[in-house]
Amino acid sequence: MTPTRKHLISLADLSDADLRHIVARGVEHAKGVAAGEPLSGTVLGVYFRKTSTRTRTAFSSAALRLGARIISYGPDDLQLNTGETIEDTGQVMARMLDGLVARTAGTTEELRALAAQNRMSVVNAMSAREHPTQALADLTTMAGHFGGIDGLRVLYLGEGNNTAAALALGLTRYPGTELHLRTPPGFGVDPEILVRAKHYAAQNGSLVEERHDMLDLPTPMDVVYTTRWQTTGTSKSDPDWRTLFAPFHVDESVLDTSPGAVFMHDLPAHRGEEVSAGVLDGPRSIAFDQAEAKLHSAKAVLEWCIG
Ligand SMILES: NC(=O)NCCC[C@H](N)C(=O)O
């Protein structure tokens, strides 16, 4: 009998209950719950066509710790590079693997094509549009740090990239949360994703709003979040983009608009660009706990899909 697998391509594919379950399970992993080896006997492909430090290491380590074996593919390894279609690649791999964690840096539709079979789970390890596993790790970090997510207020400063998009699709599932996005003009969150996030917000009594300036920053916030200015696989055609981005830099004066807030960053960081060294390396930064949460959250994702 052919098993049917679950995929994680977009957070919009997850019910509120599934999303909250994965986050809660990630928190249990962070606390060191005895997980055993539920993936024992499975083989997982880990395919990164684009650079990765955290996501690749987190999913590889999580898979191994849960008892899976992994096959790792770099950007030059698959016949995709010689013209094999993504659909054929998915069909073939599905006959040999139980799951595939893939960062293609292309469209989310590419990942849906890989997932157009029902034998192998596909996990989006970041597409141009969305970085779902990052948001799950971010929510795991918040839940662990604050003891819960309901009612948290988050200020996100910087490009409305794949990280921001996923955060909007995730945080809005929790009642009473607020996500204030301040993105440079012309570099906002994908409008379709924002519409979807506003829909979740309306359903859950939460809020998401986007502005393109740094005036009247909302306070008090629980979290101030930023992201680097160079999003993977993209280039900025506007030669003045740094001038547009500069006001969204996070330094002590920005963090101090909310004296109780912690600082988060999806990393990698460029000190002196999107964030000052004092903030990133300072006592209010939980950015490296957040990086560690990728491992705990990856375990929860793999258990949900494959375990
Ligand atoms: N934590 C990560 O997965 N970092 C990788 C880069 C994320 C960032 N949003 C980017 O697209 O460059």
Side-chain angles (χ1 to χ4, degrees):
M1 192 184 89
T2 306
T4 298
R5 297 290 191 178
K6 289 189 262 190
H7 307 291
L8 177 56
I9 309 291
S10 166
L11 291 189
D13 302 336
L14 290 184
S15 67
D16 291 359
D18 277 349
L19 185 143
R20 291 181 197 150
H21 164 79
I22 293 169
V23 171
R25 183 67 179 155
V27 174
E28 287 179 4
H29 282 299
K31 288 180 178 162
V33 69
E37 296 198 338
L39 269 54
S40 178
T42 65
V43 181
L44 197 71
V46 179
Y47 170 44
F48 279 75
R49 201 170 193 173
K50 294 285 173 182
T51 54
S52 171
T53 299
R54 275 146 293 276
T55 311
R56 182 172 180 170
T57 309
F59 273 94
S60 302
S61 178
L64 291 166
R65 286 167 193 268
L66 293 177
R69 294 196 176 96
I70 61 173
I71 302 174
S72 191
Y73 307 97
D76 302 324
D77 292 343
L78 298 181
Q79 297 289 12
L80 270 173
N81 290 17
T82 59
E84 186 162 29
T85 67
I86 195 120
E87 289 83 358
D88 288 357
T89 304
Q91 291 292 338
V92 171
M93 286 185 147
R95 289 163 184 255
M96 306 177 189
L97 298 174
D98 301 285
L100 180 69
V101 177
R103 174 174 290 183
T104 65
T107 63
T108 306
E109 280 57 47
E110 248 179 34
L111 291 156
R112 293 207 187 281
L114 268 179
Q117 38 71 33
N118 64 1
R119 300 180 176 205
M120 172 182 78
S121 291
V122 175
V123 174
N124 175 2
M126 194 173 89
S127 61
R129 193 165 192 237
E130 194 187 327
H131 196 354
T133 67
Q134 183 61 45
L136 292 171
D138 295 344
L139 294 167
T140 302
T141 309
M142 291 178 204
H145 183 84
F146 293 101
I149 300 178
D150 292 2
L152 288 183
R153 304 180 80 205
V154 178
L155 172 63
Y156 177 100
L157 302 172
E159 185 166 9
N161 61 13
N162 43 29
T163 293
L167 191 59
L169 291 173
L171 192 67
T172 45
R173 309 298 187 91
Y174 291 84
T177 54
E178 293 182 19
L179 177 60
H180 299 270
L181 300 154
R182 296 296 182 102
T183 56
F187 294 92
V189 173
D190 180 323
E192 270 180 33
I193 290 192
L194 206 53
V195 167
R196 176 63 76 111
K198 282 181 187 286
H199 167 73
Y200 294 142
Q203 282 185 330
N204 290 307
S206 51
L207 174 98
V208 56
E209 59 158 36
E210 182 177 44
R211 279 173 60 163
H212 304 296
D213 61 66
M214 286 288 280
L215 302 172
D216 305 320
L217 291 182
T219 63
M221 293 288 110
D222 298 298
V223 175
V224 175
Y225 193 130
T226 195
T227 189
R228 67 175 174 177
W229 290 350
Q230 295 83 12
T231 292
T232 310
T234 65
S235 59
K236 297 174 175 50
S237 51
D238 184 339
D240 286 335
W241 70 267
R242 282 183 181 276
T243 314
L244 295 174
F245 276 59
F248 298 87
H249 163 86
V250 179
D251 59 16
E252 285 79 351
S253 69
V254 173
L255 193 57
D256 284 345
T257 59
S258 284
V262 296
F263 173 73
M264 291 179 66
H265 191 309
D266 58 343
L267 303 178
H270 292 262
R271 291 170 180 79
E273 283 199 348
E274 76 279 2
V275 61
S276 68
V279 167
L280 182 68
D281 301 318
R284 292 166 63 188
S285 171
I286 58 168
F288 291 92
D289 294 336
Q290 183 184 356
E292 180 186 324
K294 294 208 75 161
L295 168 63
H296 307 308
S297 175
K299 284 185 184 171
V301 168
L302 294 177
E303 282 175 334
W304 177 79
C305 290
I306 304 166

